[in-house]
Amino acid sequence: MVQPFTFDQLPSRIVFAPGALSQVGSEAERLGAERVMLVHDAMTGESANAVAAQLGDRLALRWNDVAQHVPVELAERARRAATDNSIDAIVTVGGGSSTGLAKALALSHRVPIVAVPTTYAGSEQTTIYGLTGGQHKQTGKDPIVLPRVVVYDPELTLGLPGSVTGPSAFNALAHSVEALWAPGCNPITSALALEGVRAIARSLPQAMSKPADVDARGDLLYGAALSGMALGATAAGLHHKLCHVLGGRFNLVHADAHSVILPHAIAFNAPVLPGEMARLADALGAPGKDPAGALWDLAVASGVPTRLADLNGSEGPLQREQLPGAADAAAAEITVNPRQVTRDDLLGILERAYDGKRPDV
Ligand code: NAD
């Protein structure tokens, strides 16, 4: 029987098709945009050129300085430029870093976003924004930062290197996996999440071995969109909080941290979530198996990082001595989790992730 639930559906339009990049200009026009700020990064300049041509006179400002975790100083510079150019809308072409900067701008300037994601980060489907200053990543929620239109074009991801594809897909997987038990979860968010896991698990190996396979890329992008929606309708859990702390303190590559932490965070919660674990294992294509181990196997098969010790921060490789401080910071942020969790439990998760052994549930 379906348990009673409440579900706030987020108001966002999706255009999903190979070649959909050609529709970005008309989507911006539908919103009534007249002074558009186009945000992209160094790797998405060519696609941004195509969007700039579609925007014509409606393009007021082009901005290609983006960084992951949205440093406050960068957001302030972009905000000044947005003010100077009287922008009334933002179009982004890029990964979560481009979307993240657009969200910081939408927050201050209260203007709509048209997002064209080129990774699997899923930020385009959430009201969550993040800003980082003084080694601390502050996140918040505001409906204004949710892109009004998201244009998904799998062709834009054909050139995404494996070193980004695999970890970014794990970032998406993490959204779906934690949405199965995060605060706010309900039968609809679980349906989104499980379909997201199925789509990613079946397409990731093919997208890694044949990067230009547009069908696999489309499936992966579809899974990432669903995963973003599942995160957007629930809340960040223990796994996400650990990754935010690692990203904010050490400037680790966001998606790499997700790849390494996910199996260990799942293994910690597995004993108290038998029903969710069984459904997750089914969705991963590993019925009856332990999903933490199945995720670790998928990570190894996809060639994504599996050891924190292998990840570089702004001061070089992460050191084991840095883990206790990260556990302290995460303990201060994690208030809700299905299994009671202490600071020492968090340190244990980080240490197991540091060593990078297959979780043993
Ligand atoms: P990113 O945007 O930095 O992209 C990763 C790398 O891929 C970059 O080097 C970029 O240049 C490159 N790239 C992007 N598209 C490409 C393409 N089509 N071809 C070739 N290279 C390409 O990183 P990300 O992993 O997409 O996003 C991470 C950021 O997003 C973090 O700051 C994270 O906190 C944020 N995030 C936010 C949410 C949210 O809901 N607010 C959700 C997920 C992630």
Side-chain angles (χ1 to χ4, degrees), residues 41 43 69 95-97 118-119 121 123 126 128 137 156 160 254:
D41 75 24
M43 301 303 292
H69 309 306
S97 300
T118 62
T119 69
S123 175
T126 81
I128 307 165
K137 184 165 180 176
L156 305 186
L160 200 60
H254 179 76

Side-chain angles (χ1 to χ4, degrees), residues 41-44 47 66-70 93-100 103 117-130 132 137 139-140 155-161 164 167-168 171 175 228 231-232 240 244 253-256 258:
D41 75 24
M43 301 303 292
T44 54
S47 303
V66 306
Q68 65 166 3
H69 309 306
V70 194
V93 186
S97 300
S98 300
T99 313
K103 285 178 159 185
T118 62
T119 69
Y120 309 110
S123 175
E124 70 282 354
Q125 292 295 345
T126 81
T127 59
I128 307 165
Y129 60 86
T132 304
K137 184 165 180 176
T139 58
E155 288 177 359
L156 305 186
T157 62
L158 302 184
L160 200 60
V164 179
S168 187
N171 188 183
H175 300 333
L231 171 68
H240 279 80
H244 283 175
V253 172
H254 179 76
D256 288 356
H258 275 277

Side-chain angles (χ1 to χ4, degrees), residues 27 71 83 90-91 96 102 108 126-127 147 221 235 242 247 266 272 278 281 303 360-361:
E27 289 297 329
T83 301
I90 305 162
V91 174
S108 53
T126 81
T127 59
L221 198 57
L242 276 173
I266 300 316
V272 299
D360 183 16
V361 178

